Amino acid sequence: MADGREVTSNSGEDVVDVVDGAAVQLTYRPQPADTLVGLRVRARIKRWGLLLRSVFLALWVGQWLAGTISRGSADVVSTALFLFVVLVVVGYPRLQAAQVQRTVGWQGEYRTTVSPAGISTSSDHGTLTQKWSVLQGYRETRGHFVLLSRDPNIMCLEVLPKHGLSTPDDVDRLRALLDRHTTRV
């Protein structure tokens, strides 16, 4: 410990930069609901995916209605295909969240440290340290902070569930850290 900074070694331990106790720790197991929140936030920000799914669904509704009106009754195959498309379009975010959960869920408990130096997340199988410069910003939801990457397609996001914080005061501390180092989007 020197000059108010503590940096642990790179021998597999977390890299943490603590200045005046400003770091906030989270401990959690990723859940599909957490991932779903992150994907929904990303969809609201990008809007193209939502727009394309809406147009696709509208075209299927139009096709189904035109066929039903021209025949005078609903065709069983056409109706079944229409319902399948509706289920896929509406259920796609849940399918995607389940896929992400299969990717990250087996890694067990996540320990995340948010500090002035950036965000460091570790599990029993790996560690990821990100500087603030990789983020375009964050969005806060009722139960999460969703950090969005700077790349144009927002391919990477990190969901920090508020239930992973140890005290209710940590929510305000984490929000203050995020506001200081990145922007709300």
Side-chain angles (χ1 to χ4, degrees), residues 51-150:
L51 178 67
L52 290 175
R53 286 198 323 263
S54 299
V55 168
F56 183 68
L57 189 58
L59 288 173
W60 268 93
V61 168
Q63 181 271 339
W64 180 79
L65 280 174
T68 301
I69 291 170
S70 69
R71 285 187 301 276
S73 67
D75 178 36
V76 174
V77 173
S78 180
T79 302
L81 283 173
F82 170 69
L83 291 175
F84 175 74
V85 167
V86 169
L87 284 174
V88 168
V89 168
V90 171
Y92 180 73
R94 291 189 185 279
L95 292 172
Q96 195 175 15
Q99 176 64 35
V100 170
Q101 184 62 30
R102 283 191 294 275
T103 303
V104 299
W106 66 271
Q107 295 182 38
E109 186 175 81
Y110 279 53
R111 295 164 302 281
T112 299
T113 302
V114 182
S115 73
I119 298 111
S120 180
T121 301
S122 66
S123 70
D124 294 338
H125 302 281
T127 300
L128 173 66
T129 301
Q130 302 174 79
K131 293 183 178 182
W132 291 108
S133 60
V134 302
L135 299 175
Q136 75 167 329
Y138 80 96
R139 180 159 296 176
E140 183 177 1
T141 67
R142 187 170 46 95
H144 303 84
F145 289 97
V146 180
L147 310 177
L148 303 157
S149 67
R150 187 174 296 281

Side-chain angles (χ1 to χ4, degrees), residues 6-17 25-26 110-113 120-123 126-129:
E6 176 184 332
V7 180
T8 60
S9 71
N10 287 337
S11 61
E13 298 177 27
D14 295 344
V15 177
V16 181
D17 182 5
Q25 303 272 351
L26 294 94
Y110 279 53
R111 295 164 302 281
T112 299
T113 302
S120 180
T121 301
S122 66
S123 70
T127 300
L128 173 66
T129 301

Side-chain angles (χ1 to χ4, degrees), residues 42-54 153:
R42 183 178 76 175
R44 278 187 227 118
I45 290 171
K46 284 178 56 172
R47 298 189 184 173
W48 276 110
L50 183 60
L51 178 67
L52 290 175
R53 286 198 323 263
S54 299
N153 291 320

